[in-house]
């Protein structure tokens, strides 16, 4: 029986003890209620670290976890947060060292490992769906576009910013780059493109045959197909999960058709696409799984 603690720092801080790929006991969080969605915005990094310690502390009572794995948004390398557009105060912080020091009084000797938040979602899906022995990738369709990969491999993996069009008018990505996947698919980008319609209405109008919306919905699917095809051409075929609030707009058959046009080499045909629910608990399980696997590797 393996146990580890998984923590996710996103809209809020959440943590849980994970035993054998399932959450044991209650999920601890700050703030406690889901309704406060921007509690961490503008909070100094030292306070965020203190709140993480507060969340982890009760999880250690009566348990002996093999590791603490934590997921953060942004570019994470070697324990440092190199960039984090959603939590700018953490940019440049070597969060692994800072947390190790802060957790020493209550968790001395327990290894700590830091991951990108989309990678922990990928690990959580791998663990809960029996894919721990395979390469899996995950697209998270939300405000931005997340790209997660399991097994964990050090790297940048900013799949949401893959270039999927050469059209210089495609400039809606939050990072400022042109032609990016997120600039087409992200919720924020869709709002900027359709100043007069909410994304929900765009997909609704497309169903009713509105030409501008129909064309956009095709582009939206083509963009994801292109990004997925790029991933397949770099790392091979395999399982692609799609999750997040906007996965409800996805027509998986249409995505498959476009992908079929883009991937032609025979050894790369063995890919599969599946829409799945994600959520905080999946990410917590994944953070714990990645945390304990990093101990096994070291
Ligand atoms: Zn971008």
């Amino acid at each position: 029986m393996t146990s580890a603690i998984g923590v996710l720092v996103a809209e809020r801080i959440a943590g849980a003890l994970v035993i054998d790929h399932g959450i044991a006991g209650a999920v601890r969080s700050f703030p406690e209620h889901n309704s406060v969605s921007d509690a961490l915005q503008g909070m100094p990094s030292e306070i965020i670290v203190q709140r993480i310690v507060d969340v982890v502390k009760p999880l250690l009572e009566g348990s002996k976890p093999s590791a603490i794995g934590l997921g953060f948004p942004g570019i994470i390398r070697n324990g440092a947060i190199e960039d984090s557009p959603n939590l700018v105060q953490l940019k440049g912080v070597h969060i692994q060292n800072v947390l190790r020091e802060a957790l020493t009084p209550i968790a001395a000797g327990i290894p700590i490992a830091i991951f990108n938040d989309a990678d922990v979602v990928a690990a959580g899906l791998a663990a809960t769906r029996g894919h721990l022995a395979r390469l899996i990738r995950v697209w998270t369709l939300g405000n931005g576009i997340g790209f997660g990969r399991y097994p964990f491999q050090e790297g940048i993996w900013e799949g949401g910013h893959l270039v999927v069009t050469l059209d210089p008018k495609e400039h809606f990505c939050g990072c400022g780059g042109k032609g990016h996947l997120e600039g087409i698919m992200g919720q924020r980008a869709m709002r900027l493109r359709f100043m007069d319609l909410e994304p929900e209405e765009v997909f609704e109008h497309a169903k009713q045959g509105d030409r501008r919306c129909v064309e956009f919905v095709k582009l939206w699917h083509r963009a994801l197909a292109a990004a997925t095809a790029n991933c397949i051409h770099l790392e091979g075929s395999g399982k692609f999960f799609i999750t997040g609030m906007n996965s409800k707009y996805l027509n998986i058959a249409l995505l498959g058709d476009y992908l079929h046009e883009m991937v032609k080499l025979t050894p790369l045909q063995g890919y599969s696409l599946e829409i799945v629910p994600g959520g905080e608990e999946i990410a917590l399980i994944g953070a714990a799984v990645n945390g304990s696997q990093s101990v096994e590797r070291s």
Side-chain angles (χ1 to χ4, degrees):
M1 202 163 72
T2 58
S3 79
I5 288 174
V7 175
L8 178 69
V9 181
E11 273 87 44
R12 64 174 189 166
I13 300 164
L17 180 68
V18 175
I19 299 177
D20 287 341
H21 312 155
I23 288 182
V27 171
R28 303 283 174 164
S29 68
F30 170 84
E32 276 184 38
H33 296 288
N34 258 330
S35 53
V36 192
S37 62
D38 56 356
L40 306 184
Q41 296 289 325
M43 181 183 277
S45 60
E46 311 85 73
I47 307 289
I48 292 183
V49 167
Q50 192 48 53
R51 295 290 172 263
I52 294 171
V53 173
D54 295 344
V55 163
V56 168
K57 198 174 176 184
L59 301 171
L60 290 162
E61 284 163 17
S63 73
K64 246 195 153 299
S66 63
I68 302 174
L70 302 100
F72 285 86
I75 299 178
I76 319 288
R77 277 206 297 182
N78 303 313
I81 299 181
E82 295 191 350
D83 201 0
S84 190
N86 299 324
L87 291 171
V88 286
Q89 63 272 50
L90 294 176
K91 180 174 175 169
V93 175
H94 197 292
I95 195 75
Q96 190 172 13
N97 286 351
V98 172
L99 275 167
R100 189 177 289 134
E101 197 178 315
L103 284 165
T104 294
I106 57 168
I110 302 176
I112 295 163
I114 312 295
F115 307 94
N116 169 268
D117 55 352
D119 283 343
V120 303
V121 171
L125 289 169
T128 54
R129 290 172 178 270
H131 291 293
L132 281 172
R134 305 168 60 180
L135 167 66
I136 70 148
R137 285 154 284 184
V138 183
W139 295 111
T140 308
L141 312 183
N143 234 342
I145 303 299
F147 176 74
R149 182 193 187 281
Y150 171 88
F152 169 75
Q153 193 172 353
E154 199 74 55
I156 302 289
W157 307 114
E158 284 291 330
H161 303 275
L162 279 172
V163 175
V164 294
T165 166
L166 301 181
D167 184 348
K169 291 196 291 295
E170 287 295 343
H171 62 271
F172 297 112
C173 190
C175 81
K178 288 190 178 179
H180 291 189
L181 176 66
E182 182 173 312
I184 293 170
M185 294 196 86
Q187 176 86 351
R188 178 186 171 276
M190 286 194 277
R191 286 211 165 113
L192 289 172
R193 180 186 305 263
F194 289 90
M195 302 296 275
D196 55 332
L197 294 174
E198 282 294 307
E200 199 179 342
E201 296 171 300
V202 173
F203 287 93
E204 197 50 52
H205 289 203
K207 270 189 209 155
Q208 291 154 14
D210 177 291
R211 238 182 88 196
R212 182 178 60 139
C213 295
V214 168
E215 285 309 311
F216 175 73
V217 169
K218 284 185 195 165
L219 176 71
W220 195 82
H221 282 82
R222 265 195 184 281
L224 186 59
T228 305
N230 289 340
C231 294
I232 291 171
H233 286 115
L234 287 174
E235 280 209 290
S237 61
K239 187 83 182 171
F240 286 84
F241 289 116
I242 301 127
T243 187
M245 64 175 182
N246 284 349
S247 58
K248 62 177 181 278
Y249 301 129
L250 192 71
N251 176 339
I252 202 107
L254 184 61
L255 179 68
D257 289 347
Y258 286 150
L259 196 52
H260 187 67
E261 293 173 6
M262 295 173 185
V263 179
K264 289 295 179 192
L265 297 171
T266 319
L268 303 181
Q269 295 297 326
Y271 55 81
S272 64
L273 310 162
E274 189 180 346
I275 302 172
V276 290
E280 193 176 75
E281 295 203 352
I282 292 290
L284 295 177
I285 292 168
V289 166
N290 268 357
S292 38
Q293 287 190 355
S294 76
V295 176
E296 287 160 22
R297 274 195 305 271
S298 62

